[in-house]
Amino acid sequence: MSWRHTQNFLRSPGLTRALVARSSIGPDDLVVDLGAGKGAIAAALVERCRRVIAVEIDPRLVAGLERRFSGVTGVEVRRADARTMEPPTEPYKLFANIPFDATAAIMRRWFDGTPPPTDAYLILQREAAAKHLGLGRSTAVGMGRQPWFEMQRVRDLRRSDFTPPPSVDCVLARLRLRGEPLLDRGAAGDFRAFLRFGFAEGGRAVRHRFRGVFGRREFARLAHDAGFARDARCVELSVEHWLWLFRRFEGIGEASRRRAVLGR
């Protein structure tokens, strides 16, 4: 990730402290701040937690962070690329105002890989929160993370809360790791491929998309047993509905029908 990109920093230290205060972060926590910038979030975090890792790739900002936190116990400044760096091996949380142009790559690295954070608070563009978390609308990408994370929109933010002001609306979103996952991690790739196939014709009923996978009567029975309408569209199904269909799909032994969905 090039460091020559624009970040939208939180303008007010008071707002930053208020956002951190609304989180689950406590005195025993290790917290990673991705895209730490000038250190506003890291400064608020260190007042509440055991240790902060402030991650920044821009060498000029890294130098500023090192000056700001020189001699401050509990803050480690790390120059690294948030898209590729290794997460901590011990349990950790995230609180970050990530660079908007790196959202997709950061989400894949920290939430689709291992070890994931036990809890995370991210400032995102509203459209990115909808796409990557499914907040505001159901998406294949967002649904593909819900077996492992509970998603919540914590607070809407104003464009004037940032400097420079972004051209889009932003939100503070929470992703909390489920105590008991709804699906084994080993099945994540197949489940996400299943969702991509199902969402490919988002405006049509799910049964039309899966007509070559499940028979008409079979799908009607599955919909009845799962508790959703036979003519429901993909955006109307919950993660539990999708998991119900996926588990029935996993039982299909016919290679051609599986290949149609998974591409292999």
Side-chain angles (χ1 to χ4, degrees):
M1 177 172 58
S2 170
W3 53 267
R4 297 185 185 278
H5 58 75
T6 299
Q7 277 186 264
N8 304 93
F9 301 110
L10 288 171
R11 182 186 298 276
S12 164
L15 172 61
T16 306
R17 287 193 296 271
L19 296 179
V20 172
R22 293 187 65 171
S23 74
S24 67
I25 292 167
D28 296 328
D29 289 326
L30 165 63
V31 186
V32 180
D33 175 10
L34 301 174
K38 299 178 181 179
I41 290 177
L45 289 171
V46 76
E47 296 176 357
R48 299 180 64 87
C49 69
R50 171 176 59 87
R51 182 178 165 219
V52 179
I53 300 176
V55 178
E56 179 55 58
I57 196 171
D58 186 329
R60 296 169 299 183
L61 293 173
V62 169
L65 289 168
E66 290 173 340
R67 289 192 297 270
R68 178 171 186 170
F69 295 109
S70 176
V72 177
T73 301
V75 178
E76 174 192 347
V77 177
R78 187 178 299 180
R79 183 182 177 189
D81 187 337
R83 301 177 306 177
T84 58
M85 68 174 284
E86 290 294 321
T89 55
E90 63 182 290
Y92 69 96
K93 296 179 180 180
L94 284 182
F95 200 111
N97 176 21
I98 61 178
F100 294 155
D101 58 3
T103 298
I106 289 174
M107 293 298 299
R108 286 193 298 269
R109 180 68 191 93
W110 294 85
F111 297 97
D112 298 345
T114 57
T118 60
D119 209 352
Y121 296 83
L122 300 178
I123 294 173
L124 302 170
Q125 294 176 331
R126 185 175 293 176
E127 283 299 309
K131 176 180 178 180
H132 295 287
L133 310 184
L135 295 178
R137 70 169 186 262
S138 182
T139 66
V141 176
M143 195 66 69
R145 295 188 172 112
Q146 289 190 24
W148 301 278
F149 291 94
E150 295 177 299
M151 316 290 193
Q152 177 188 359
R153 192 158 101 189
V154 178
R155 174 171 170 167
D156 292 329
L157 296 169
R158 298 170 298 185
R159 300 183 190 188
S160 59
D161 290 330
F162 299 87
T163 182
S167 59
V168 294
D169 294 326
C170 301
V171 300
L172 176 65
R174 182 184 185 186
L175 299 85
R176 186 168 68 91
L177 190 67
R178 295 182 186 272
E180 291 293 333
L182 305 181
L183 185 67
D184 185 87
R185 276 277 181 184
D190 283 355
F191 181 59
R192 287 168 181 153
F194 184 80
L195 288 169
R196 288 193 296 272
F197 181 87
F199 273 79
E201 297 178 0
R204 302 190 68 189
V206 177
R207 66 183 177 88
H208 292 301
R209 184 61 179 155
F210 284 98
R211 60 187 176 274
V213 180
F214 302 110
R216 182 172 57 85
R217 291 183 180 178
E218 181 184 12
F219 188 88
R221 185 175 67 253
L222 289 174
H224 176 270
D225 291 346
F228 63 85
R230 176 175 171 271
D231 291 324
R233 296 179 297 126
C234 63
V235 295
E236 297 171 329
L237 268 58
S238 68
V239 67
E240 290 79 11
H241 294 149
W242 281 111
L243 287 168
W244 175 269
L245 288 176
F246 176 68
R247 290 183 176 117
R248 298 316 180 270
F249 168 76
E250 284 187 304
I252 293 175
E254 186 179 324
S256 61
R257 286 197 286 168
R258 293 184 60 80
R259 193 179 305 114
V261 175
L262 302 181
R264 60 178 183 274

